[in-house]
Amino acid sequence: MDNEVTNYQNNRMREASHGRSLIPPCQVACPLHMEIGEYVDLVAQGKVLEALQVIREGNPFPSICAYVCTHPCEDACRRSQVDKSIAIRALKRFAVEFGGDRMIELEAETVQSEKVAVVGSGPAGLACAYYLRKLGYPVAIFEAYSELGGMLRVGIPQYRLPREVVDTEVQRLIHMGVEIKTNTRVISIDLLLDMGYKAVFITVGAHQSLRMGIEGEESPGVIDGATFLREVNLGLKPSLGEEVAVVGGGNVAMDAARAAVRLGADKVSILYRRSRTEMPASPDEIEQALEEGVETMFLVAPTKMKRENGRLSVTCVRMELGEPDAGGRRRPVPIEDSEHNMEFDTLITAIGQAPQISEDFRLRLGRGSTIQVDPVTLTTNRTGIFAGGDAVTGPATVTQALASGRQAAFRINDYLRHRYPSVDKEAEETLSGELLPKTIETIRKIERLEPPLLPPEARTKEFKPVELIYNWEAAVDEARRCLRCGMGAEIMFQDKCATCLTCLRICPYHVPYLDEGGTIQIPADQCQACGICVAECPAKAIVLRKPYDRRHIDEELEHALKSAAESKSKPLIIGFCCQYGLFGTGALASLWREGKAGIWIVPVLCVAKLEGGHILRAFEMGAEGVFVAGCGERCSRENTAFWVLQRVEEVRRALSQIGLEQERLQTFNLRAADGDITEALDNFTGRIGGLCLASVMKQEVKS
Amino acid sequence: MIVAEQKSLEEIRRIIAPYEKVLLLGCGTCVTVCGAGGEREVAFLNSALRVAQAKSDDGVHNFSEYTVKRQCDFEFLDVLVDKVNEVDTILSLGCGIGVQVVAERFPDIPILPGVNTSFMGMAKEWGVWDERCAACGDCRLAETAGICPITRCTKGILNGPCAGTKNGKCEANKDMDCAWILIYKRLERLHQLEKMRRYYPPRNFRVIPRPRRIVMKADIEQGEDNG
């Protein structure tokens, strides 16, 4: 996080809720360093509005990422060591849709006088404009095409990113006061400076397709991928004929092939010179393309093309894989005398793209015609001119572009404020390390839930979004698979630790160990943050790195007790209910919406974090009955029921010595398969009502 | 490790009844380990006492809690000086030693025991403690293969087993191992069965003066170093 505005908020939030949690691998992998663990946890609790808020703090255009992010976070997700990674992107999409992201209106006030020009309106340009507006600068975006969005609009097909999503974000920027100049190709930076812009951010993307450099490439019927996708995305319907070949193995090749299918081509084949494992396209994309009937030919490369009888005759050569190249992929080597001819109606080349930077910009260019910048400050060779996005990196992902735009906004702010760039502070520790086999063994395996997809037959007829949204239950269930990396237990007070070995003996995952010096260690990279040892530690020396989870119980309990005191409804029953899966305030609360006043729900983030003191506190404050309801079989942690029952017994022993009936404390649904506890709960409230009446009568007899 | 057990709430409530302001004092060493009087148990007791107070009308108390690292040494108690002035009694959840040390350190305030100090032992597993040593002051474990018949035999006999052993269990409790069978098996394993054949005369407990004191420091006379 490097923005002053959000930094302040983040720090405050972090202090309040994160405590000493370590940054999990997903967040490290995210180009925007979004607080993924946080919003996934909020989705798991069914707190979708709060989840969206966290998402919006780390991402200017979450709705866009929700569709197209290549989710490096999921590749880094440690759950994949257990079974499969968390479906983070799909969960974000759920939060964005169900949280009502499109309803959010943003405003920005102009507090600075220096005007900034953003050249190019791709994700980097839009993000830069967004953050500069938030910082209070007057910003103008210059776009050569008629509509904003850059590759978001002309590169990515609609079935992956509906245009309305881009439109919504653009409208939001306009509402924030960003000046939009479409159909305006910038031909000279000097002109912008003359117009009074004090800083310029060049983010013109990489729209120029690379040429294969073979004979016949100029023939009619050969089109490059970027141009093809641009035409398709701008609503033209290029006529392709029946058989289409796409050359290349990246995401653009997949997009082109799938777009060709949707335009009605009978047969679409991808020609790739390596094998499937070397394909740079994202595996989901490849999978979905295959589902839609795209064919693949591996280890084959065109060497020349000729237009004959209205068709393209393509001469190809077979390849074999040789030694790995500098990038680690095995280099394709042509096999001698393997030439053969194939016929297509159209051939789309998608072997890479490069930026096309006007010489008049007088910017120093580097490898692949990209603009050379300082990687930290994004400054070019010209004062006040910054650059980012694909124009600097070559073709990259939307999220990388957004991160680059945000970085540019903060560096431009530093520049305009005549400040030494305040570079990202790496103050917070990150969580590193693999899960040990013995930890993996003990973690409950829970199948990853994928969001539903349109069936392939329905997809290929039009450009509708392929991926649908989770329903509420699926999203919550998927989110609670999160291992909560970096939020686990730590021995906060080593001097208090009596080395009693309780934690070591009771941890369901066998995480704590005795080091050679006889000190207990709880390795952060193994802890599953279930909180059992925190509640059981006889010395109270262990805390959760994210103390909010525990403090939350106190806060919710006091809140419930206060509300109950105000309402004076009798008999007062306090229910500590698991909030994960929206059990407590969702499924369970709905049971007595009709006229069962007197029951107050205290949502807890796993009943394993509930302590005897919490239950006793409820009784102290006048509760006639207390129950603890878990989420049953859906619990993603181990041994929770056992520990809840231990503590309940402990409290029952105390109650009976005080002269209170043990049946005033009940547990429900700690292990059950189905969550319907209506009847059991009815019986319980009935009994408490009886006990309450009996004690009132006893009092009266006494007096 | 000293093992103790918290007194019943009833007893605790009875003994604190005369006092209004009660400091619940935990100990961070042995009684923490055995789950009788560490910070967690102090907090739980505090909560339970508050419930008891809320649900009955006998007397009003004002509870506070604190846990020191160890109650059995004066120095750890210094932090309590100010707190002690504000309360009417201290309910110590330390072992019997702790209670007495606190009493000795703070002569002007009543000290009450909150736990029953039970034995010296070990955690068999989480939540289960077993006695292992009686502090008899005359250790014979070398002869008994590291298994103490004084504590682990119901009768504490030195020449066992007695006739009450059955299938390796004790006649007094069928779930309890006969210590002398354990000793026999372990000696057999160590090829030291000849130790079973010896007779160990009864010990004379009268020779142990009480209270016991151990003096480790040498008795150096003043002025000796004038050489």
Side-chain angles (χ1 to χ4, degrees):
Chain A
M1 287 303 124
D2 32 12
N3 178 355
E4 282 177 346
V5 185
T6 56
N7 213 0
Y8 169 68
Q9 232 170 5
N10 279 337
N11 284 346
R12 223 175 26 167
M13 266 189 61
R14 181 162 284 280
E15 266 167 41
S17 67
H18 295 238
R20 296 156 52 82
S21 55
L22 304 173
I23 300 183
C26 50
Q27 190 174 347
V28 173
C30 175
L32 286 164
H33 304 302
M34 294 182 67
E35 297 195 18
I36 295 161
E38 188 67 21
Y39 73 73
V40 167
D41 194 47
L42 287 166
V43 171
Q45 296 171 37
K47 291 184 178 166
V48 70
L49 293 175
E50 290 86 340
L52 178 62
Q53 200 183 339
V54 171
I55 292 171
R56 284 211 70 90
E57 261 165 40
N59 189 325
F61 310 121
S63 60
I64 293 175
C65 284
Y67 278 96
V68 298
C69 185
T70 54
H71 47 75
C73 50
E74 293 183 28
D75 301 335
C77 177
R78 290 172 6 127
R79 177 103 212 177
S80 63
Q81 297 169 34
V82 181
D83 36 45
K84 276 188 174 155
S85 61
I86 311 291
I88 297 169
R89 188 191 49 74
L91 288 172
K92 177 159 58 211
R93 170 110 191 264
F94 169 81
V96 162
E97 300 281 353
F98 279 69
D101 182 64
R102 68 188 73 193
M103 307 303 206
I104 291 176
E105 285 192 9
L106 296 174
E107 299 197 351
E109 222 178 303
T110 304
V111 294
Q112 308 288 6
S113 58
E114 297 91 342
K115 293 200 293 176
V116 183
V118 174
V119 181
S121 70
L126 295 178
C128 182
Y130 173 91
Y131 284 105
L132 283 171
R133 263 321 279 162
K134 282 190 108 182
L135 290 164
Y137 289 95
V139 182
I141 298 182
F142 294 82
E143 169 58 52
Y145 293 115
S146 57
E147 285 177 279
L148 296 193
M151 277 299 181
L152 296 173
R153 201 175 287 275
V154 301
I156 301 175
Q158 296 229 22
Y159 62 85
R160 281 215 286 135
L161 179 64
R163 291 303 166 254
E164 306 85 78
V165 174
V166 185
D167 291 340
T168 309
E169 297 298 353
V170 167
Q171 281 309 315
R172 213 159 7 212
L173 280 183
I174 293 172
H175 194 80
M176 285 171 80
V178 176
E179 204 182 331
I180 310 286
K181 294 177 190 291
T182 45
N183 291 317
T184 310
R185 184 176 290 276
V186 172
I187 46 164
S188 152
I189 296 176
D190 301 307
L191 215 57
L192 288 176
L193 298 177
D194 288 346
M195 286 163 76
Y197 292 102
K198 301 292 179 208
V200 180
F201 181 48
I202 308 284
T203 166
V204 296
H207 292 257
Q208 185 66 35
S209 285
L210 298 180
R211 295 170 49 85
M212 293 191 289
I214 59 172
E215 191 186 321
E217 206 175 342
E218 309 298 334
S219 313
V222 181
I223 183 172
D224 72 271
T227 309
F228 169 68
L229 287 172
R230 182 158 60 239
E231 287 183 2
V232 173
N233 288 326
L234 290 177
L236 303 172
K237 292 214 160 119
S239 86
L240 298 170
E242 285 171 1
E243 287 187 41
V244 177
V246 178
V247 181
N251 282 326
V252 174
M254 295 305 135
D255 286 346
R258 297 177 67 189
V261 170
R262 284 165 174 75
L263 286 172
D266 284 345
K267 192 175 165 205
V268 178
S269 315
I270 287 177
L271 310 185
Y272 182 52
R273 57 187 184 145
R274 292 181 166 105
S275 68
R276 174 154 181 185
T277 40
E278 285 85 19
M279 270 181 133
S282 88
D284 298 353
E285 288 285 305
I286 301 174
E287 196 53 49
Q288 292 180 9
L290 293 176
E291 282 172 17
E292 289 163 16
V294 172
E295 291 182 10
T296 47
M297 296 185 209
F298 295 113
L299 296 165
V300 59
T303 51
K304 65 181 173 213
M305 286 176 277
K306 201 157 78 185
R307 189 83 181 169
E308 277 178 344
N309 310 326
R311 298 198 81 192
L312 268 178
S313 169
V314 181
T315 308
C316 291
V317 63
R318 281 191 219 293
M319 313 290 262
E320 59 188 353
L321 292 176
E323 294 298 304
D325 61 13
R329 288 192 302 172
R330 292 177 68 187
R331 197 191 303 273
V333 184
I335 302 174
E336 268 179 54
D337 302 327
S338 65
E339 275 97 357
H340 57 286
N341 277 339
M342 285 189 279
E343 287 207 346
F344 300 103
D345 294 300
T346 305
L347 184 135
I348 302 169
T349 63
I351 57 162
Q353 281 158 239
Q356 201 178 20
I357 312 294
S358 163
E359 272 184 29
D360 297 336
F361 284 4
R362 287 186 283 115
L363 293 176
R364 186 178 299 141
L365 301 186
R367 229 180 127 224
S369 338
T370 54
I371 304 173
Q372 273 195 341
V373 295
D374 178 294
V376 175
T377 60
L378 297 184
T379 47
T380 62
N381 56 314
R382 296 186 60 181
T383 315
I385 315 299
F386 299 75
D390 286 1
V392 165
T393 55
T397 66
V398 170
T399 317
Q400 280 169 299
L402 292 177
S404 158
R406 180 170 73 182
Q407 188 186 357
F410 301 145
R411 295 297 85 82
I412 289 171
N413 181 37
D414 290 335
Y415 165 74
L416 292 174
R417 302 267 67 78
H418 308 288
R419 220 172 27 199
Y420 195 77
S422 53
V423 183
D424 301 4
K425 282 168 253 129
E426 281 300 319
E428 289 155 72
E429 270 182 89
T430 57
L431 179 88
S432 55
E434 306 274 291
L435 290 169
L436 296 173
K438 67 174 175 128
T439 316
I440 291 173
E441 203 176 294
T442 46
I443 295 173
R444 191 170 288 193
K445 315 288 178 284
I446 308 169
E447 209 171 313
R448 171 175 158 135
L449 291 165
E450 300 287 355
L453 299 178
L454 271 186
E457 319 81 76
R459 287 183 219 162
T460 50
K461 295 197 181 72
E462 51 194 353
F463 280 80
K464 267 207 215 153
V466 164
E467 190 191 279
L468 307 174
I469 314 164
Y470 280 126
N471 64 32
W472 198 277
E473 201 180 331
V476 161
D477 277 348
E478 174 59 22
R480 46 198 291 179
R481 294 174 65 235
C482 177
L483 299 181
R484 305 164 65 72
C485 301
M487 297 186 192
E490 91 176 303
I491 299 182
M492 183 69 162
F493 313 100
Q494 273 291 0
D495 55 330
K496 265 197 196 173
C497 172
T499 326
C500 67
L501 310 185
T502 299
C503 53
L504 180 145
R505 288 181 178 136
I506 68 176
C507 175
Y509 309 99
H510 312 300
V511 171
Y513 70 92
L514 258 187
D515 69 13
E516 284 176 4
T519 306
I520 282 278
Q521 304 289 349
I522 305 180
D525 59 348
Q526 304 301 315
C527 178
Q528 299 300 306
C530 67
I532 290 173
C533 62
V534 178
E536 291 301 324
C537 175
K540 285 194 170 227
I542 308 178
V543 296
L544 284 172
R545 287 174 184 273
K546 188 181 163 203
Y548 172 78
D549 284 2
R550 203 183 146 272
R551 206 177 53 224
H552 167 259
I553 305 178
D554 297 310
E555 286 170 6
E556 292 285 347
L557 175 59
E558 294 309 318
H559 176 74
L561 290 170
K562 201 167 149 236
S563 314
E566 281 163 9
S567 87
K568 297 198 176 70
S569 53
K570 283 270 172 181
L572 167 60
I573 294 176
I574 296 281
F576 293 96
C577 302
C578 178
Q579 177 60 25
Y580 281 116
L582 204 66
F583 183 66
T585 53
L588 200 51
S590 67
L591 294 179
W592 51 81
R593 234 168 237 149
E594 303 101 33
K596 274 199 194 150
I599 298 184
W600 297 85
I601 295 292
V602 177
V604 294
L605 298 175
C606 185
V607 282
K609 296 191 181 83
L610 186 68
E611 294 169 24
H614 294 126
I615 300 173
L616 288 167
R617 172 76 183 154
F619 280 112
E620 181 193 349
M621 296 308 284
E624 298 286 346
V626 173
F627 67 89
V628 182
C631 56
E633 230 177 27
R634 290 165 81 200
C635 185
S636 56
R637 297 286 184 265
E638 292 301 323
N639 282 8
T640 44
F642 175 85
W643 289 103
V644 173
L645 291 170
Q646 281 287 338
R647 289 168 211 160
V648 161
E649 279 311 309
E650 193 182 10
V651 174
R652 280 188 181 150
R653 276 199 298 271
L655 290 182
S656 70
Q657 293 184 41
I658 292 165
L660 290 173
E661 297 79 359
Q662 299 204 4
E663 57 190 309
R664 287 178 186 269
L665 175 56
Q666 283 293 333
T667 59
F668 298 116
N669 202 39
L670 290 177
R671 293 191 253 236
D674 71 276
D676 190 8
I677 56 167
T678 322
E679 206 187 319
L681 201 56
D682 277 345
N683 289 339
F684 176 66
T685 47
R687 271 204 311 279
I688 298 300
L691 287 172
C692 184
L693 201 63
S695 67
V696 170
M697 281 160 65
K698 234 188 267 171
Q699 285 285 323
E700 277 173 7
V701 170
K702 248 194 212 168
S703 58
Chain B
M1 190 70 63
I2 291 170
V3 178
E5 191 177 23
Q6 208 173 88
K7 282 179 177 290
S8 73
L9 266 180
E10 283 154 332
E11 185 179 350
I12 289 176
R13 286 173 67 203
R14 201 173 63 239
I15 59 179
I16 63 170
Y19 309 98
E20 190 198 330
K21 293 181 220 150
V22 183
L23 172 62
L24 309 176
L25 183 63
C27 174
T29 308
C30 306
V31 290
T32 293
V33 175
C34 66
E39 195 168 321
R40 180 186 188 274
E41 267 51 54
V42 169
F44 187 89
L45 178 64
N46 192 345
S47 301
L49 288 171
R50 282 170 204 270
V51 177
Q53 181 162 295
K55 297 290 175 188
S56 67
D57 38 0
D58 43 298
V60 178
H61 299 287
N62 194 335
F63 298 107
S64 55
E65 57 178 79
Y66 197 80
T67 300
V68 293
K69 191 162 179 106
R70 217 163 75 207
Q71 289 188 13
C72 57
D73 274 302
F74 291 141
E75 289 85 343
F76 288 110
L77 304 176
D78 288 348
V79 290
L80 297 173
V81 171
D82 291 337
K83 290 182 181 66
V84 167
N85 291 333
E86 289 165 12
V87 297
D88 301 323
T89 187
I90 297 176
L91 181 82
S92 161
L93 297 189
C95 65
I97 309 161
V99 176
Q100 295 184 61
V101 175
V102 175
E104 208 170 327
R105 175 68 181 77
F106 301 111
D108 301 323
I109 183 167
I111 312 295
L112 309 170
V115 304
N116 291 322
T117 309
S118 307
F119 52 78
M120 281 177 281
M122 60 174 274
K124 190 77 182 156
E125 58 189 79
W126 178 83
V128 179
W129 285 272
D130 278 349
E131 183 173 15
R132 282 293 180 270
C133 176
C136 68
D138 181 19
C139 193
R140 300 284 179 84
L141 286 168
E143 282 100 46
T144 57
I147 293 165
C148 174
I150 309 287
T151 47
R152 298 179 69 182
C153 165
T154 309
K155 295 174 181 168
I157 53 177
L158 282 173
N159 297 284
C162 70
T165 179
K166 196 173 182 189
N167 299 325
K169 300 292 177 186
C170 174
E171 65 178 340
N173 181 347
K174 287 187 175 57
D175 294 326
M176 199 169 71
D177 288 325
C178 167
W180 275 103
I181 297 295
L182 293 177
I183 292 168
Y184 182 93
K185 285 186 176 159
R186 192 164 148 78
L187 284 174
E188 188 178 34
R189 188 186 175 113
L190 298 172
H191 307 294
Q192 295 180 358
L193 270 181
E194 74 281 358
K195 290 185 178 170
M196 285 296 284
R197 294 190 191 98
R198 279 166 54 189
Y199 167 73
Y200 298 101
R203 296 185 309 161
N204 182 357
F205 286 102
R206 274 179 303 183
V207 300
I208 302 175
R210 286 184 189 262
R212 289 176 276 182
R213 166 175 279 180
I214 294 169
V215 179
M216 190 186 74
K217 63 180 178 187
D219 189 11
I220 313 268
E221 279 178 41
Q222 285 274 322
E224 192 192 323
D225 186 27
N226 54 10

